[in-house]
PDB file of all heavy atoms in Angstrom:
ATOM      1  N   ILE A  14      -8.707  18.400  -1.016  1.00  0.00           N
ATOM      2  CA  ILE A  14      -8.825  19.565  -0.125  1.00  0.00           C
ATOM      3  C   ILE A  14      -8.636  20.859  -0.913  1.00  0.00           C
ATOM      4  O   ILE A  14      -9.383  21.821  -0.715  1.00  0.00           O
ATOM      5  CB  ILE A  14      -7.816  19.451   1.037  1.00  0.00           C
ATOM      6  CG1 ILE A  14      -8.249  18.316   1.968  1.00  0.00           C
ATOM      7  CG2 ILE A  14      -7.715  20.763   1.794  1.00  0.00           C
ATOM      8  CD1 ILE A  14      -7.229  17.962   3.034  1.00  0.00           C
ATOM      9  N   ILE A  15      -7.674  20.902  -1.808  1.00  0.00           N
ATOM     10  CA  ILE A  15      -7.455  22.104  -2.630  1.00  0.00           C
ATOM     11  C   ILE A  15      -8.667  22.371  -3.517  1.00  0.00           C
ATOM     12  O   ILE A  15      -9.125  23.512  -3.634  1.00  0.00           O
ATOM     13  CB  ILE A  15      -6.159  21.960  -3.460  1.00  0.00           C
ATOM     14  CG1 ILE A  15      -4.943  22.032  -2.543  1.00  0.00           C
ATOM     15  CG2 ILE A  15      -6.083  23.037  -4.543  1.00  0.00           C
ATOM     16  CD1 ILE A  15      -3.629  21.730  -3.229  1.00  0.00           C
ATOM     17  N   THR A  16      -9.218  21.338  -4.115  1.00  0.00           N
ATOM     18  CA  THR A  16     -10.415  21.490  -4.950  1.00  0.00           C
ATOM     19  C   THR A  16     -11.589  21.980  -4.126  1.00  0.00           C
ATOM     20  O   THR A  16     -12.344  22.861  -4.559  1.00  0.00           O
ATOM     21  CB  THR A  16     -10.768  20.152  -5.633  1.00  0.00           C
ATOM     22  OG1 THR A  16      -9.643  19.708  -6.382  1.00  0.00           O
ATOM     23  CG2 THR A  16     -11.970  20.288  -6.526  1.00  0.00           C
ATOM     24  N   LEU A  17     -11.770  21.434  -2.930  1.00  0.00           N
ATOM     25  CA  LEU A  17     -12.866  21.843  -2.051  1.00  0.00           C
ATOM     26  C   LEU A  17     -12.740  23.311  -1.643  1.00  0.00           C
ATOM     27  O   LEU A  17     -13.709  24.073  -1.726  1.00  0.00           O
ATOM     28  CB  LEU A  17     -12.894  20.948  -0.816  1.00  0.00           C
ATOM     29  CG  LEU A  17     -14.008  21.200   0.185  1.00  0.00           C
ATOM     30  CD1 LEU A  17     -15.357  20.834  -0.434  1.00  0.00           C
ATOM     31  CD2 LEU A  17     -13.763  20.407   1.449  1.00  0.00           C
ATOM     32  N   LEU A  18     -11.548  23.721  -1.239  1.00  0.00           N
ATOM     33  CA  LEU A  18     -11.329  25.117  -0.827  1.00  0.00           C
ATOM     34  C   LEU A  18     -11.524  26.081  -2.002  1.00  0.00           C
ATOM     35  O   LEU A  18     -12.098  27.160  -1.839  1.00  0.00           O
ATOM     36  CB  LEU A  18      -9.937  25.279  -0.223  1.00  0.00           C
ATOM     37  CG  LEU A  18      -9.704  24.572   1.125  1.00  0.00           C
ATOM     38  CD1 LEU A  18      -8.258  24.716   1.555  1.00  0.00           C
ATOM     39  CD2 LEU A  18     -10.651  25.116   2.187  1.00  0.00           C
ATOM     40  N   THR A  19     -11.049  25.701  -3.173  1.00  0.00           N
ATOM     41  CA  THR A  19     -11.229  26.533  -4.364  1.00  0.00           C
ATOM     42  C   THR A  19     -12.706  26.659  -4.706  1.00  0.00           C
ATOM     43  O   THR A  19     -13.198  27.746  -5.026  1.00  0.00           O
ATOM     44  CB  THR A  19     -10.450  25.946  -5.556  1.00  0.00           C
ATOM     45  OG1 THR A  19      -9.083  25.818  -5.193  1.00  0.00           O
ATOM     46  CG2 THR A  19     -10.581  26.818  -6.784  1.00  0.00           C
ATOM     47  N   GLY A  20     -13.438  25.561  -4.608  1.00  0.00           N
ATOM     48  CA  GLY A  20     -14.879  25.587  -4.885  1.00  0.00           C
ATOM     49  C   GLY A  20     -15.631  26.484  -3.923  1.00  0.00           C
ATOM     50  O   GLY A  20     -16.524  27.233  -4.321  1.00  0.00           O
ATOM     51  N   LEU A  21     -15.280  26.419  -2.637  1.00  0.00           N
ATOM     52  CA  LEU A  21     -15.943  27.278  -1.645  1.00  0.00           C
ATOM     53  C   LEU A  21     -15.638  28.755  -1.886  1.00  0.00           C
ATOM     54  O   LEU A  21     -16.516  29.607  -1.761  1.00  0.00           O
ATOM     55  CB  LEU A  21     -15.528  26.869  -0.232  1.00  0.00           C
ATOM     56  CG  LEU A  21     -16.079  25.527   0.252  1.00  0.00           C
ATOM     57  CD1 LEU A  21     -15.455  25.163   1.600  1.00  0.00           C
ATOM     58  CD2 LEU A  21     -17.589  25.564   0.352  1.00  0.00           C
ATOM     59  N   ALA A  22     -14.392  29.059  -2.235  1.00  0.00           N
ATOM     60  CA  ALA A  22     -14.026  30.455  -2.518  1.00  0.00           C
ATOM     61  C   ALA A  22     -14.753  30.963  -3.762  1.00  0.00           C
ATOM     62  O   ALA A  22     -15.246  32.094  -3.780  1.00  0.00           O
ATOM     63  CB  ALA A  22     -12.518  30.572  -2.697  1.00  0.00           C
ATOM     64  N   LEU A  23     -14.825  30.143  -4.780  1.00  0.00           N
ATOM     65  CA  LEU A  23     -15.516  30.554  -6.012  1.00  0.00           C
ATOM     66  C   LEU A  23     -17.023  30.679  -5.804  1.00  0.00           C
ATOM     67  O   LEU A  23     -17.664  31.493  -6.445  1.00  0.00           O
ATOM     68  CB  LEU A  23     -15.217  29.564  -7.141  1.00  0.00           C
ATOM     69  CG  LEU A  23     -13.828  29.669  -7.744  1.00  0.00           C
ATOM     70  CD1 LEU A  23     -13.607  28.567  -8.773  1.00  0.00           C
ATOM     71  CD2 LEU A  23     -13.614  31.026  -8.378  1.00  0.00           C
ATOM     72  N   LYS A  24     -17.580  29.898  -4.910  1.00  0.00           N
ATOM     73  CA  LYS A  24     -19.020  29.955  -4.633  1.00  0.00           C
ATOM     74  C   LYS A  24     -19.403  31.342  -4.117  1.00  0.00           C
ATOM     75  O   LYS A  24     -20.351  31.951  -4.605  1.00  0.00           O
ATOM     76  CB  LYS A  24     -19.412  28.895  -3.615  1.00  0.00           C
ATOM     77  CG  LYS A  24     -20.879  28.912  -3.238  1.00  0.00           C
ATOM     78  CD  LYS A  24     -21.121  27.952  -2.085  1.00  0.00           C
ATOM     79  CE  LYS A  24     -22.010  28.525  -1.086  1.00  0.00           C
ATOM     80  NZ  LYS A  24     -21.700  29.320  -0.045  1.00  0.00           N
ATOM     81  N   ASP A  25     -18.679  31.846  -3.136  1.00  0.00           N
ATOM     82  CA  ASP A  25     -18.976  33.169  -2.579  1.00  0.00           C
ATOM     83  C   ASP A  25     -18.819  34.261  -3.632  1.00  0.00           C
ATOM     84  O   ASP A  25     -19.660  35.150  -3.752  1.00  0.00           O
ATOM     85  CB  ASP A  25     -18.075  33.464  -1.377  1.00  0.00           C
ATOM     86  CG  ASP A  25     -18.408  32.598  -0.183  1.00  0.00           C
ATOM     87  OD1 ASP A  25     -19.540  32.070  -0.130  1.00  0.00           O
ATOM     88  OD2 ASP A  25     -17.538  32.444   0.692  1.00  0.00           O
TER      89      ASP A  25
END
Side-chain angles (χ1 to χ4, degrees):
I14 290 171
I15 290 173
T16 304
L17 182 67
L18 292 175
T19 304
L21 290 173
L23 285 175
K24 178 188 137 274
D25 291 339

